[in-house]
Amino acid sequence: GENVEQHPSTLSVQEGDSAVIKCTYSDSASNYFPWYKQELGKRPQLIIDIRSNVGEKKDQRIAVTLNKTAKHFSLHITETQPEDSAVYFCAASGSGGGADGLTFGKGTHLIIQP
Amino acid sequence: EAGVTQSPTHLIKTRGQQVTLRCSPISGHTSVYWYQQALGLGLQFLLWYDEGEERNRGNFPPRFSGRQFPNYSSERIVNALELEDSALSLCASSLWIRVPSYEQYFGPGTRLTVT
């Protein structure tokens, strides 16, 4: 089955700086890669996703890049703000689309220092 | 548009008991996924229901089960509760029409504590 590794587990950046979180996956047939943000005590919120036929996608201050050859994808947050503090999870969906559920990374605790 | 809802919000059970957790998907969504978020273990896939049938399950024992009703709401059932079943139980919904939509939207979760 699919295996997703996520790094780092904790990331502390100064407010206004950029943050990058990286994930690798094992199943070359995976074709959908979402990112979720989970604030303390809240549900995971889908913030951006990318499909395997696209190399990069941007939405305001967040962007995701995908390298299918290397089987890794990254989340980039620019001009970080205090409300960006949360745990971020990457995930991959196998060749069956949603059939296998999503395989999640272990999460990155992003801390924005004022 | 109402989001995914789950009930109850919190639940305390004793080891060996059975528990039933409920999920209502976003209106128009036909697929419900169940995940478990235990401390230190991240989000783990448990079950996928679509059009009333169990389509797939993760690597969990048979005492984890569930069902989906004609209105697409779903129940997740855990028999013979163990202490390590203490976790946040999350469901997510998605739209699956021949080609899956992929996007999954989560409910607020049920915090299950087993003592």
Side-chain angles (χ1 to χ4, degrees), chain B:
Chain B
E1 175 185 277
V4 179
T5 60
Q6 290 185 246
S7 63
T9 54
H10 296 85
L11 203 52
I12 300 175
K13 288 285 190 178
T14 303
R15 190 171 49 185
Q17 286 186 313
Q18 178 192 75
V19 67
T20 300
L21 310 173
R22 296 177 177 81
C23 172
S24 291
I26 291 171
S27 177
H29 283 189
T30 59
S31 278
V32 171
Y33 299 83
W34 285 96
Y35 294 87
Q36 181 165 281
Q37 188 173 30
L39 200 61
L41 293 179
L43 282 149
Q44 297 173 290
F45 166 67
L46 294 170
L47 296 157
W48 171 44
Y49 292 96
D50 184 70
E51 296 288 352
E53 293 191 19
E54 181 181 303
R55 302 291 187 179
N56 201 10
R57 62 184 294 130
N59 188 24
F60 282 84
R63 61 188 186 85
F64 288 72
S65 65
R67 54 182 173 170
Q68 187 179 34
F69 299 99
N71 66 354
Y72 304 116
S73 66
S74 175
E75 286 182 345
R76 180 193 156 204
I77 301 158
V78 186
N79 291 307
L81 282 165
E82 300 178 1
L83 295 178
E84 48 266 35
D85 294 330
S86 294
L88 181 65
S89 179
L90 289 161
C91 79
S93 76
S94 181
L95 184 59
W96 180 288
I97 303 176
R98 288 186 291 177
V99 178
S101 171
Y102 297 162
E103 292 93 347
Q104 295 184 22
Y105 298 93
F106 282 87
T110 294
R111 174 70 62 185
L112 173 63
T113 302
V114 182
T115 62

